[in-house]
Amino acid sequence: MGVGLTTGQLERLFTGSVWAEGPVWVLSSQTVRWSDIPNDRILEFDPATGKTGEYAVGVQFTNGRTLDADGSVVQCSHGRRRVERDRQGTVTGLVDSFQGRRLNSPNDVVIARDSSIWFTDPPYGILPGTKEGPEGEQEYGGCYVFRFEPASGTLTPVITDLVYPNGLAFAPEESVLYVADTAGPGRGVPLRIAAYDVRDGACDSRGPVLELEEGHAADGLRVDVQGRIWTSAGPAVRVYSPSFELLGAVAVPERVSNLCFGGPDGQELYITATTSLYRIRTTTRDAAASNHQATNN
Ligand code: MG
């Protein structure tokens, strides 16, 4: 790891999932919640006890999730082909269609300070032979990044030029949106993270693109308060500057899907990697979480 980014050692906290993804730090319970997608369950780790339990089962293949300003969890469901809200265990749908056609299988989600919900919609949860949801058709004919306004119910495509958009995160002032594209060379594009300039709720131009080597897909990513990008990259977490200079890496014994900041001071990095949940202490915090906490204050 680069100088000053992390302290201490990588710890394995839980093992026993098939494919772990979609972690979020839940402020109200001080726990980490994540998806074990093929086992169709949601797990939760309590750092106070060191124990992991099943938060919910038979959940229609949830994937990425984020915390809303009111403390509820907004998450993606492959099986329901929607983005939904979990408020203390009561789950309600937010959006499941675009122009009358079903979404593919929403994968990852972030919430902007104006309460709009931005999510990616690749087809991983409906592809033939997938174990991450029931097979299905791609009904609207693309794989977009969408912006959804809960108050009005308006759904707007904001990015349509990526192949399989996956993880996403805003830069600290929400002037830039970073989106991972995990389609890769098999679909005619490099594994990559693309940066888009954001203005007035839209992505108005594509900026720099980071290309990643084969086997090092950036699935999920987060941005810290200094604007650095913390991303999964195959069997590692990598940290990049806003201009995609590599600043450091944490080797992980398994393929990493996603990560989130959490813990009492927000400086623990929780990492979902194939069968396991890992943690390493850092010297920074999530830009988005700090925005939400600022909103609450
Ligand atoms: Mg993902």
Side-chain angles (χ1 to χ4, degrees):
M1 176 47 73
V3 175
L5 291 168
T6 59
T7 59
Q9 299 296 313
L10 184 75
E11 306 166 78
R12 189 166 74 179
L13 304 170
F14 169 81
T15 192
S17 52
V18 173
W19 180 251
E21 193 163 350
V24 73
W25 176 256
V26 183
L27 271 174
S28 58
S29 54
Q30 297 284 295
T31 54
V32 182
R33 187 181 301 172
W34 76 100
S35 301
D36 178 5
I37 304 176
N39 281 325
D40 197 19
R41 62 181 179 163
I42 300 171
L43 299 172
E44 205 159 64
F45 171 77
D46 183 350
T49 63
K51 291 199 165 65
T52 292
E54 286 183 338
Y55 171 77
V57 298
V59 293
Q60 287 297 318
F61 305 93
T62 65
N63 192 337
R65 51 178 54 79
T66 192
L67 204 64
D68 205 348
D70 67 356
S72 65
V73 171
V74 170
Q75 65 192 16
C76 300
S77 166
H78 291 176
R80 295 190 177 105
R81 300 175 71 153
R82 73 180 189 184
V83 178
E84 58 193 24
R85 185 186 304 279
D86 181 326
R87 186 176 274 120
Q88 296 178 329
T90 301
V91 181
T92 50
L94 292 168
V95 57
D96 62 5
S97 63
F98 172 57
Q99 295 180 338
R101 298 184 169 91
R102 282 193 297 173
L103 300 174
N104 299 322
S105 51
N107 190 290
D108 216 342
V109 57
V110 291
I111 300 178
R113 282 174 294 187
D114 67 0
S115 301
S116 60
I117 297 172
W118 301 54
F119 65 94
T120 58
D121 191 34
Y124 290 111
I126 56 170
L127 291 174
T130 184
K131 294 184 168 59
E132 298 199 353
E135 294 176 19
E137 298 295 318
Q138 291 182 233
E139 296 190 4
Y140 66 86
C143 294
Y144 296 164
V145 181
F146 289 101
R147 176 180 184 272
F148 177 67
E149 285 182 9
S152 65
T154 306
L155 183 67
T156 309
V158 287
I159 297 171
T160 59
D161 65 347
L162 295 176
V163 181
Y164 283 178
N166 201 318
L168 74 174
F170 284 107
E173 297 305 317
E174 298 182 359
S175 56
V176 174
L177 179 69
Y178 299 101
V179 187
D181 184 351
T182 46
R187 295 195 165 268
V189 291
L191 297 169
R192 55 189 172 171
I193 299 173
Y196 292 82
D197 293 327
V198 176
R199 192 161 46 195
D200 300 330
C203 294
D204 67 354
S205 65
R206 188 155 94 184
V209 175
L210 171 69
E211 296 190 2
L212 295 147
E213 65 272 36
E214 190 125 25
H216 292 73
D219 186 333
L221 54 97
R222 306 277 179 170
V223 176
D224 70 25
V225 287
Q226 283 90 3
R228 296 172 298 211
I229 304 146
W230 294 65
T231 180
S232 60
V237 171
R238 289 185 185 163
V239 185
Y240 290 94
S241 73
S243 55
F244 290 137
E245 176 195 4
L246 182 62
L247 302 175
V250 181
V252 179
E254 303 177 77
R255 186 172 149 212
V256 178
S257 62
N258 213 330
L259 44 91
C260 71
F261 288 94
D265 63 2
Q267 294 189 193
E268 311 279 355
L269 186 71
Y270 286 92
I271 301 164
T272 49
T274 313
T275 68
S276 304
L277 179 73
Y278 296 87
R279 175 175 63 192
I280 191 165
R281 183 148 185 84
T282 77
T283 56
T284 189
R285 295 179 295 119
D286 192 297
S290 66
N291 289 341
H292 293 153
Q293 282 156 17
T295 304
N296 287 338
N297 292 335

